[in-house]
Amino acid sequence: MPFASVVVPGTAQGATADEEGRYRLPLAGPADSVVASAIGFAPLSRRVNKAASQTIHFALGPGSVSLGEVVVRPRENPAYAIMRRVQQQKPRHDKRQLTAFEFDSYNRTEVSLRNLPAAVERRRMLRQITQLTDSLGLPRDSSGRPVVPIFASEVLSRFYQLNQPLRKRELILRRQLRGAAPREGSVVSQILGASFQDWDFYLNWQQLLGKDFISPIADGWRFTYEYELQDSVWVGEDFCYQLAVTPRRAQDLAFTGTIWITKREYALRRLDLRVSPRANLNFVEQVRVSQELTPTPAGPWLPLRTQVLIGLKPTKGSTGVTARFTTVNSKFDAGHPHPLPFYDRPLETAPEAFQTPADYFARHRPDSLSAPEQATLTALDSVQQLPAVRSALELADVGVNGYYRAGRLDLGPVLTTYGFNSIEGHRLRVGFRTTPELSRSWLLRTYLAYGTRDTRLKYGLRVHRILDRQRWTVLGVEHRRDIDLVALLDNDYALDNPLFEASARLGNISGSRPVLRDLTTISAQTDLFRGFTPRVLLRHQRFTPLYRFAYYTGVPEPGASTADRFSLAELVLETRYAPDEVLVQDNQNRRTPIGLKRWPVFTVRYTRGFRGLLGADFRYHKLNLLIDQSVRLGQLGRTDYRLDAGYIPSTVPYPVLKTHLG
């Protein structure tokens, strides 16, 4: 029986069977019997002998429950009375009422392809994988087509949460990637743990595939859902009401399925939900979520086991992708917060996590694998060694990161190797950046470029020294000489995208106010506390416009002297505040923000220009405020906005002013 409960009577020791009805129950001490139970079946007890390891099978028979007298009010659905009690008791059971909690978390992710068209199935890489899976006896789908495993991961971590103020931390203890896996240390390889599998139905909204779904126990439950009291059953050692839930409107972003509510506490004990196929989710064929919860000594409940299945298929006859996520939590500890600085690093990977022995998860996995699951992991270990797969992974890595890995260097960005524009003609560029394999404390990036029409040599060199990874204290020096556009001079955040950087110098750029820019910068930054990062820059720039340009050097009147080039010497003070942002350090010594943020991100910048310093031509002040946020709009979805505003109380040529991006 899927998800049957197996417990030692009179103790807290127990386990939950997987989808195949398999279970594994380690015991901390001697026991004389174990009891298995499942919804709709009579509990069954089996004797335990004195052997150190033994296998006990259960064959459960049908069960019945005798209910006491039930009084149904006229014209009222009895499920509504239960749901009202659930709402009254939600504050007692919501884990946000705990001062803090922590637990060990095991997360398994499995991704496979199905419904492969014949033409796709014959491609070299998929043909090699299919031959391998068939040789290992992996089952095919109902139509006889192969189900091709692509990727799997297992992550063991310790998860911590503080609720006042809200802070989360996850320490990745061990991880293992199989199949067509991302590069070790990349952002994707680090977001497979508990921090990103947090399904909490006590919240009104569940974020799924970029949309927000209303929980079946949300505050506005009656406006979105219809309920039916189906049965009263035992779930483990808890006697529960079994309620069927369906959306009132099939198109709503809501769930359909079953929830189990404890009779004594009116707490959410278990759920089995799926998304209606009529909900507006592009390319999504199916979504299913199952979860079991367990109480803490303090009262609120925490997730014990969560399973999520997501199926994607763009069109009816196209290749489909199936992703399975399994989370098993254990060793709960509630009400014992750590000092606040403990939570300042939301995501951290232990050094030994990168050297996980091959048999580690076989010895420490908290649930049992079915025979197909075990065969899938075995197949994926071999998939990584297939030449076609290795080539595809290298191409995918170039497409995502823009660089080609060559030993301890990354060559690129590949997209900027060749370009053509109206100023430079054919633009040829070569460059590289160092990797942590060469140094974890130093990061160097350099390039050379040449234009066949303007015959100018361009170059750039950037060096960063990481002094403190804990607070991300970084010193940087940069010098470069290259062609830029006026619109990008004060929009540095736009150039973080390699595709944008390459496309900005393509085609006819003569009308975009190109300038030859010599830039020298010295910078320093550090995290004073979580989310608060001040930054200081000393910057010197020389501009040689490559179009007709002039400005008055004195009083603007006929015959007054003009100049067609200028220099700037600047001090830039910048502060960035992102109170709930999660930053992940990737394998290129960079930090990438991930996940959703409830609060906006504020960036305040003050620039002071000094006239006469290093030949600078202007004295000025510039203030700038940048605000980014993604706002939840419930059933309407989400909206992202960026507010970019500033004030310049100085008289300077227009290239020094702010040009807003269109």
Side-chain angles (χ1 to χ4, degrees), residues 212-251:
D212 294 301
F213 286 74
I214 190 167
S215 167
I217 61 170
D219 295 341
W221 54 275
R222 194 165 180 176
F223 295 103
T224 304
Y225 287 100
E226 186 56 72
Y227 300 82
E228 178 188 354
L229 176 59
Q230 293 182 323
D231 205 346
S232 296
V233 296
W234 287 96
V235 179
E237 297 183 347
D238 297 298
F239 193 64
C240 299
Y241 297 112
Q242 178 179 314
L243 303 180
V245 297
T246 54
R248 289 183 177 272
R249 295 163 295 277
Q251 296 81 5

Side-chain angles (χ1 to χ4, degrees), residues 213 247 250-252 254-256 274-281 287:
F213 286 74
Q251 296 81 5
D252 281 355
F255 298 97
T256 182
R274 58 190 180 276
V275 173
S276 170
R278 297 179 62 183
N280 182 23
L281 282 175
V287 176

Side-chain angles (χ1 to χ4, degrees), residues 496-510:
D496 290 339
N497 187 321
L499 179 60
F500 190 98
E501 182 180 4
S503 62
R505 295 185 178 90
L506 292 178
N508 185 5
I509 64 174
S510 300

Side-chain angles (χ1 to χ4, degrees), residues 5-191:
S5 298
V6 183
V7 299
V8 178
T11 73
Q13 299 180 90
T16 301
D18 62 15
E19 293 178 341
E20 305 297 327
R22 297 167 58 89
Y23 72 95
R24 179 174 179 270
L25 177 55
L27 299 184
D32 58 4
S33 64
V34 289
V35 176
S37 61
I39 297 171
F41 292 82
L44 182 62
S45 177
R46 293 289 192 194
R47 186 174 63 86
V48 176
N49 59 40
K50 296 182 180 181
S53 178
Q54 53 194 286
T55 301
I56 298 178
H57 296 287
F58 293 90
L60 302 184
S64 60
V65 176
S66 298
L67 299 179
E69 180 181 356
V70 177
V71 178
V72 180
R73 293 174 181 158
R75 300 183 181 180
E76 183 181 33
N77 184 338
Y80 290 175
I82 297 173
M83 288 303 300
R84 283 198 298 271
R85 295 292 297 272
V86 170
Q87 295 301 310
Q88 294 171 2
Q89 300 299 321
K90 270 178 67 174
R92 288 183 52 205
H93 306 309
D94 189 344
K95 65 184 182 181
R96 291 174 295 175
Q97 301 304 314
L98 294 168
T99 55
F101 59 85
E102 58 186 83
F103 50 77
D104 284 351
S105 183
Y106 165 80
N107 288 272
R108 184 170 66 247
T109 302
E110 305 161 79
V111 180
S112 59
L113 301 180
R114 53 189 172 77
N115 195 41
L116 295 173
V120 175
E121 190 177 340
R122 288 193 296 268
R123 292 179 181 174
R124 180 187 175 193
M125 183 180 75
L126 293 177
R127 187 174 67 251
Q128 291 179 358
I129 297 177
T130 301
Q131 292 171 351
L132 177 63
T133 56
D134 285 344
S135 68
L136 293 172
L138 262 69
R140 297 196 169 204
D141 63 16
S142 57
S143 61
R145 290 183 173 179
V147 177
V148 182
I150 294 297
F151 166 72
S153 72
E154 293 184 280
V155 177
L156 189 63
S157 63
R158 185 71 177 174
F159 179 81
Y160 308 84
Q161 181 166 322
L162 178 71
N163 284 324
Q164 294 296 333
L166 180 61
R167 294 286 188 270
K168 297 180 181 181
R169 178 180 178 180
E170 183 178 12
L171 175 61
I172 305 295
L173 302 173
R174 295 287 184 178
R175 67 179 173 202
Q176 193 166 40
L177 308 181
R178 293 180 168 95
R183 182 189 297 172
E184 278 287 0
S186 66
V187 172
V188 175
S189 71
Q190 299 185 66
I191 59 174

Side-chain angles (χ1 to χ4, degrees), residues 9 111 115 132 137 212 249 304 312 323 326 330 339 376 404 414 486 550 574 579 622 633 646:
V111 180
N115 195 41
L132 177 63
D212 294 301
R249 295 163 295 277
L304 181 66
L312 306 176
T326 302
S330 59
T376 296
Y404 176 76
V414 176
V486 168
E574 181 180 286
K622 299 169 67 174
L633 299 178

Side-chain angles (χ1 to χ4, degrees), residues 564-582:
D564 60 357
R565 62 192 64 192
F566 59 93
S567 297
L568 305 176
E570 300 170 309
L571 168 66
V572 181
L573 303 177
E574 181 180 286
T575 297
R576 187 175 186 273
Y577 182 52
D580 61 344
E581 184 175 62
V582 176

